[in-house]
Amino acid sequence: MITREQSSAVLDHPVLDSSGQRIGSAAHVFLDDATGAPSWVGVKAGLFGGGETLIPVDKARMDGENLAVPYSKQKVKDAPHVHADARGHISPDQERQLHDYYAGAMAAGMAAGTADAGTASAGTATDTGLGTDTETDTDAGMASADETVALPDRDLAGGEPRTTADAGMASGTARAGMDPSAGRSEDWSGRADDRGTVMTRSEEQMHVHTERREAGHAGLHRHVVVEEVERTVPLHHEHARLVREPIADGDRSAALAQQGTELADADYELTLWDESPVVEKEVVPVERVRLVAEDEVTEETVRARVRHEEIEIDGDIDQGVEGDAGRRI
């Protein structure tokens, strides 16, 4: 099992199967929510369709900078394909499905190893020269292997009881270290769709929009300012001036009639007037002031880094149909 510190070192490095064959590259390492320990490694390879293929790392080990897992490339290829949610989590049902699959794969591998051990014992008995011919000892070895591999009473596909030939084929297959189901007739129609040969390529696209935000404040405030004002106005002032006029002969009769023929004292008074400035103030509206917002349009160039996915073709691809192996799409 790898540690959390080693999990970052395996990213983008090859993942090797039980025979040392490259499965793909490690794209993600999934950590357990409770313990924080690595639980699964997501393998990205061109031959897998529909997202990453997850492999448990509880029995994985570091092989230099590579990650080695105790499963064959074919077993990993046939594993259920799951998709992580937006938070990078897989559901408990998906995790349970993967656990059941890889537990079955390990059980099948252990059964195959036990069958191989039975065959080796039979071969040893033949070599010791116990008076039994090779054919008899070989049959004994096959019988021993048949006892080791637990065969079901009925065939998985047809529901009919297994024949002796079926049992022998399954036993021989187990001794060869292969999948016990190999060698049986299977219907391959529709397997391409079931195994997920379609992969979706996604990319980030930049969409730019604008948002309204406060840029400042503008307001009006009225206050009183005192200033000195000057005005020049004309003022009238009266003063007395003595004017003497001789009375002509023709005007004497009228003058005697007005004043009389007797001499007497008399007073005459003239009122003099002048003007002084008087200041009066009144409030008069002279101007209306208001604030308006004017829209000014400017242009700004926005730059951002966007990501896109690329799909690489890997594995045994028909050159005439798919193109060159390793070609990037």
Side-chain angles (χ1 to χ4, degrees), residues 25-30 41-45 48-55 79-84 199:
S25 300
H28 297 92
V29 174
F30 293 78
V41 60
V43 179
K44 177 179 65 177
F48 299 144
E52 300 173 349
T53 299
L54 269 61
I55 308 175
H81 288 266
V82 300
H83 297 272
M199 180 177 288

Side-chain angles (χ1 to χ4, degrees), residues 23 26 57 68 71 75 82 84 98 111 143 158-159 184-185 187 190 193 197 207 210 223 227 230 245 292 323 328:
I23 301 175
V57 296
Y71 308 101
K75 286 295 183 183
V82 300
L98 288 170
R184 293 207 303 266
S185 175
D187 183 11
D193 292 337
T197 57
H207 302 281
T210 61
H223 61 279
E227 60 179 350
E230 293 183 355
E245 296 178 351
V292 295
R328 179 171 295 178

Side-chain angles (χ1 to χ4, degrees), residues 259-282:
Q259 184 175 350
T261 59
E262 296 294 332
L263 297 175
D265 294 333
D267 294 322
Y268 179 78
E269 185 177 339
L270 177 65
T271 301
L272 302 175
W273 297 87
D274 64 3
E275 294 180 338
S276 62
V278 177
V279 178
E280 295 180 353
K281 294 181 288 185
E282 62 175 341

